[in-house]
Every structure is written in structure tokens, then in C-alpha cells.
Amino acid sequence: MSVQALEDGVGWGSPMGGAVRVQEAEAIARREEQILVVGDDEDLRARLAADLTVLGYRPVLAGTREPPPPTPPVALVAAATGPKETIRIAEELRSAEGFRHLPLVWLVDPMDLWVLAGREHLCDEFVRLPYVAEELAARLRLLSLKTGRDGPDVIRRGPLRLNTSTHLVMMDGRSMDLTYMEYELLKLLASTPGRVFTREDILARVWGYDYFGGMRTVDVHIRRLRAKFGPDHASLIQTIRSVGYRFAQVRG
């Protein structure tokens, strides 16, 4: 599979309005969320990659006959040249493991808007072709609000995104498979970074006052969370010797 991740920013020659450039430049430093761009129009994909990079996203490009990348992105864009191909892409993405519940944006020619009727389950937002970068930026912001990614239900701690409404937890754009207790423990720590919780506090708040298990339960779940974080992010949960644990203070 030839999926190209654009790690470097692009110049300001992208076909965008000056107002959006000023408005969105700060996002480059704070977001870097992945967006998968799938389509059979190479020129359209290239322009989308340039504009999305300027907006602060990290585009991942894939052709229409390629399988999705192993790491699920935050949002998806179908950039196809015709309605039938757009439908096919959307259906494949919606059936792919790890992608079923991720937001999907269609790019649609105004003459093909009929294709949206009855296919609401395959499309969360749409942008008309030829698209205007200002509209794309606005649609993506609306999509964030609709899905709760950047709304009040989301805890953002560096590479961690925890949605308390959907229970979706992502690390560096990768969906994490957590047990209920692992999720509740992580939510407790991440909600107040820097605060130290004793093992007794954690047991009472996560497992409840009527739990009769030992303190070792907390240590075991901490180890499991760190293992799922991976070596690059395990240090987000810090051990305070002889006291307990805390979530590191990182920029959201």
C-alpha cells in the first residue's frame, strides 16, 4: 500500500483566502490531526493535501484501490471524480475495521447533489466542487462540533483525545481499545493533570467505596494503560513514589 503522509508544511501559495490563512495559522502548532484523503483525482488530492496542511491537519493520501491505512485518522474525505466512485469509497470506508464511526466528508459536484439522498449514513458533511478552501475549513470545524471531537465533551492532553460522550479514546490519531475500568481510570487522571491521586483515592473514585480488592488492582491497571499508550507516551502517567499517580501536565 502506498499511503503518503505529509509531515512537512506547505508554502502559503495554496489557493486559500488571506483571512483563513491568518485565522488558521495558529492551528498548525496545536492540532496536527490526521485526515485521510481518498480519491481517483490526483490533482484534487494534491490541492486538498496542501490546504489541509495549512489548516493544521496532517493529510494522509490514498488511491481509490488501496486499503485504508492501519492507523485510523480523525476524519475522512472522499475526493472522487464521480458520484458512483464516491459512493463506492464511502461504503468501503464504512465497512473497514476501525473506520466505521469516524466522520466522513464528501466532495460533490453541484450537479450530483442528488447522490446524498438516502445515503446519510455514509456522509457526515459535504463540500461542493470546485471547493473553496474557506468552506472546507468551516465544514471541518462544524464536523468537529457535531462529532464532539473539540467540544466540551473532549479531554485533550497532548497526543491524547478522550471523548466522554462517545467513550472514544485516541492516541496520536490511533483509536485505543480500553476496558471500562481502564477508561474510567484514564478519565479520572486526565481530567486534572498534575493532581496526584493516592491509590485509595483511585479505588474509591473508579471502583467505588464498596470494592474489596487490594491496592494492587490500581497498579495493574496503570501498567496496562501505559502498555497501550506505547513506549513513546507511557510517561504521560507518572508515578509519585509512596503516594500514587498523576497525569503529566502537557499542552493540549
Side-chain angles (χ1 to χ4, degrees):
M1 177 186 69
S2 57
V3 176
Q4 176 188 5
L6 301 182
E7 300 291 345
D8 301 321
V10 298
W12 293 102
S14 176
M16 299 183 61
V20 171
R21 295 174 186 172
V22 174
Q23 191 176 45
E24 301 293 342
E26 194 178 11
I28 297 175
R30 74 170 182 261
R31 242 186 350 216
E32 289 231 335
E33 295 174 343
Q34 285 188 347
I35 292 187
L36 175 66
V37 181
V38 183
D40 55 1
D41 187 327
E42 293 187 5
D43 291 338
L44 178 57
R45 282 190 294 156
R47 184 193 167 191
L48 280 166
D51 286 344
L52 288 169
T53 303
V54 172
L55 291 173
Y57 297 99
R58 187 150 48 98
V60 177
L61 306 185
T64 58
R65 300 298 172 178
E66 300 172 5
T71 301
V74 171
L76 307 166
V77 175
T81 55
K84 290 184 179 180
E85 187 67 7
T86 302
I87 295 170
R88 188 190 67 80
I89 292 172
E91 289 176 340
E92 288 191 359
L93 290 172
R94 277 289 186 258
S95 63
E97 187 65 33
F99 289 80
R100 295 189 181 100
H101 303 295
L102 295 178
L104 178 59
V105 181
W106 285 16
L107 275 73
V108 185
D109 187 286
M111 298 296 293
D112 296 326
L113 289 177
W114 57 268
V115 78
L116 298 172
R119 296 186 175 88
E120 290 78 6
H121 64 293
L122 296 175
C123 178
D124 299 287
E125 270 293 352
F126 74 94
V127 179
R128 295 171 297 175
L129 289 172
Y131 80 87
V132 177
E134 288 86 347
E135 181 182 358
L136 176 64
R139 294 286 186 183
L140 290 173
R141 285 196 295 270
L142 286 172
L143 191 59
S144 293
L145 293 174
K146 286 167 59 177
T147 58
R149 283 203 327 271
D150 293 320
D153 295 331
V154 175
I155 298 172
R156 301 166 58 96
R157 301 286 182 257
L160 175 71
R161 301 291 182 271
L162 188 151
N163 191 315
T164 59
S165 176
T166 65
H167 285 210
L168 177 65
V169 180
M170 305 191 76
M171 181 70 75
D172 264 346
R174 170 178 57 90
S175 180
M176 298 185 63
D177 183 17
L178 303 181
T179 67
Y180 176 76
M181 288 305 183
E182 288 169 352
Y183 168 83
E184 289 295 322
L185 173 57
L186 177 59
K187 183 176 71 171
L188 173 67
L189 296 176
S191 295
T192 52
R195 174 178 174 177
V196 179
F197 290 90
T198 67
R199 291 172 176 81
E200 292 85 355
D201 286 339
I202 294 172
L203 277 176
R205 290 168 178 265
V206 176
W207 278 266
Y209 288 98
D210 56 350
Y211 179 73
F212 293 104
M215 298 296 170
R216 178 174 167 75
T217 298
V218 175
D219 299 329
V220 170
H221 280 74
I222 291 290
R223 283 201 301 271
R224 290 175 180 170
L225 278 176
R226 285 171 170 164
K228 291 182 179 182
F229 279 12
D232 292 338
H233 305 300
S235 60
L236 286 174
I237 298 179
Q238 301 173 340
T239 301
I240 308 303
R241 191 178 298 275
S242 302
V243 180
Y245 299 97
R246 70 182 177 193
F247 198 91
Q249 291 182 306
V250 292
R251 297 180 63 182

